[in-house]
Amino acid sequence: MPYLAPEAPAQDLVPPTPGPSARRRHRRVSGGLVDPRQLIASFPDALRKLHPRAMVKHPVLFVVEVGSVLTTLSAVLDPSVFTWLISVWLWLTVVFANLAEAVAEGRGKAQAETLRRTRSVTAARRLRAWRVGMDRRDWEEERVRAGELRPHDVVVVAAGEVIPGDGEVVDGVAAVDESAITGESAPVVRGSGGDRSSVTGGTTVLSDRIVVRITSRVGHTFLDRMIALVEGTSRQKTPNELALNILLASLTVIFILAVVSLQPMASRSGAPQSITVLVALLVTLIPTTIGALLSAIGIAGMDRLVQRNVIALSGRAVEAAGDVDTLLLDKTGTITLGNRQAVSFDPVQGVAHELLADAAQLASLSDETPEGRSIVTLAERYGIGHAAGDFAHGRFVPFSAETRMSGVDFAFDGDFCRIRKGAGAAVAQWVHRRGGHVPEEAGRLADLIAAAGGTPLLVAVEDPEGARILGAVHLKDVVKPGIAERFAELRAMGIRTIMVTGDNPVTARAIAAEAGVDDYVAEATPEAKLARIREEQAGGKLVAMTGDGTNDAPALAQADVGVAMNTGTPAAKEAGNMVDLDSSPTKLIEIVEVGKQLLITRGALTTFSICNDVAKYFAIVPAMFGGVAGYEGLEKLNVMGLHSSTSAIASAIIFNALVIVALIPLALRGVRYTPSSAHALLRRNLGLYGLGGLVAPFAGIKLIDLLIQYVPGM
Ligand SMILES: Nc1ncnc2c1ncn2[C@@H]1O[C@H](COP(=O)(O)OP(=O)(O)OP(=O)(O)O)[C@@H](O)[C@H]1O
Ligand SMILES: [K+]
Ligand SMILES: [Mg+2]
């Protein structure tokens, strides 16, 4: 019994294609090394940062700046080669520290410029209804400036035009050039319905025509946020960074007290020290190296993400990424290619293929998901071609991740008829509730599809003859090539992977085994995904999650690291704290690496800095007190045999300043990270940077001392 005779052919739809390839763009040629020209170009910025208002944000360096003012004053009042040499190098210390930050910021500035040029879209074609109940096709078009657009405005964008703001495609399908944002030149398909409906302002429509509902306010678009981010204007200190800053400030206070209390002691021994010497001693002792490089390390970490086409909306998320224990991924589109296509209709006994195809198509006519569209297309091969317009009096039931069903209610020859298609359990329950019987065969059909890794959709009908199952639709999906290797890498880093899917347990098990995830959750509703994240977090775990669908949004918001695909829905992109412009689900692996690299770099340079300062103490204090009565014991410590006490102090200050410049490249590039256990990493870094920090000052100071002993007056 065909429900309706085939009539108008279904509209021609461009099939959704997978997102842009994960090919990485190379925005910069330099592999992380600092170009000397970059240092010179950032110099004016470094000088501008000398303003006390900017300096107080870096307490350690603020102390150095105050010290520079004091020594300069005493150099003016009591000029000598020594006082001027110390004054100049103290100022250089502050400038070098500012230079580190300026260079880190400078990299983003050039990028922001390019993005700004993209943003300069001016015109938009807004659609307006002027009568209640108007069809959108009859809405009136008006030209407005892009800056006038508000959320919920509807605009039309045709081939060759630039999309005037972030939004969601509500009608049509088009090829879009997103290279302005992603750097990826291959066009992507954006269309209404499904998880590829979001478009970004500043990108260009290449073919066809789409109607877009604007979702962002002026000044708060994705592009605006991206510009603020790469420029560093929106960067806030992370909790870890704040804690480290407090530690550094406390150390500084302790050393100030120590140096101040040194003076009465020295006076009593008849060797009162000058302001210049006291300031110099203080500066060598306080953790200037890490104080100078701390913010550059943070900025560079964000920058490394941007280079990988990831926009992190918070620095905290980048750090959390370095400590992630558990990674949740959804199945469709993340682990699998995601364009689930209907490949066959498998009817139950006594039902003709055509009848099942017919019912499945009717239930999919207004289903804009890739699955729905592919069912319409497959049914056409059976010669079935209904159009949504035939159902002026029908009621379409859209798919939701909650109900896991979609369908249509309509009247046929005066009789009511309802069709549903969806997840096996959901449809079986629907039939049961209507007094129908679900044959065992239906379960077998579904299991057969699921065991092959496919998604079975059961199709059921209810009419005056009762409710019953007609058969199953086989949606085929393919596990992405190479994904098992990526999961193995994650395991080596100590990260557990969990696949969460709305699909049935049999399909979930098949795909989980093929992809090599550690665990899976099947038949997960959005609440279940959220609950699983909370459960992991309650166990003290840091959780990362990638997703693209609106149904992923709550989970993305709850996760410590929520990576939304750029192809995803606006809701998903709003909820996450990172957006992956390449929409590559395995990007999280790189994000974790960048996060770990950030934490390791900060740890390594902190270790180096503190060890360095301790060593400097032993290098210069004996030299300072050399020849002072009552301190002969200290003389024995003068193992370095430095030329004089003034040259010892000057060498320490010069070394202290130069070490900052020497470490800028490492701070920006980051300490190399190879997947290994946290324990092994810690040991290696303590050894390398701790020992290095202890030894370097002795060698460095001796070398400088050998040179400056020839300076007259040393
Ligand atoms: N368009 C649709 N119409 C009816 N049922 C659908 C449709 N799309 C999916 N389903 C069913 O609903 C289930 C849940 O879908 P949902 O999108 O929540 O998860 P999923 O896409 O299978 O997995 P993932 O969470 O990994 O994306 C699917 O497994 C499928 O059985
Ligand atoms: K120091
Ligand atoms: Mg889905």
Side-chain angles (χ1 to χ4, degrees), residues 433-452:
R433 240 192 281 129
R434 281 163 178 74
H437 164 71
V438 179
E440 232 172 80
E441 192 196 352
R444 267 202 309 278
L445 282 176
D447 282 351
L448 223 55
I449 296 168

Side-chain angles (χ1 to χ4, degrees), residues 399-412:
F399 169 71
S400 84
E402 263 335 305
T403 61
R404 296 193 283 147
M405 283 198 301
S406 56
V408 62
D409 297 346
F410 62 100
F412 181 66

Side-chain angles (χ1 to χ4, degrees), residues 195 330 332 340 551:
D195 289 349
D330 75 335
T332 313
R340 272 193 297 209
N551 60 339

Side-chain angles (χ1 to χ4, degrees), residues 330-332 340 367 369 399 406 421-423 501-503 529 551:
D330 75 335
K331 173 179 75 74
T332 313
R340 272 193 297 209
D367 183 354
T369 64
F399 169 71
S406 56
K421 67 168 201 294
T501 176
D503 231 326
K529 293 187 188 189
N551 60 339

Side-chain angles (χ1 to χ4, degrees), residues 495-552:
I495 297 169
R496 244 163 62 81
T497 49
I498 305 177
M499 177 180 93
V500 272
T501 176
D503 231 326
N504 69 84
V506 184
T507 308
R509 190 176 339 114
I511 298 288
E514 192 178 341
V517 289
D518 294 318
D519 196 4
Y520 66 88
V521 184
E523 290 179 340
T525 57
E527 286 75 45
K529 293 187 188 189
L530 190 62
R532 182 62 190 246
I533 293 183
R534 292 219 168 107
E535 192 184 302
E536 294 277 331
Q537 285 172 333
K541 299 244 158 68
L542 276 180
V543 182
M545 147 108 195
T546 54
D548 60 354
T550 300
N551 60 339
D552 295 326

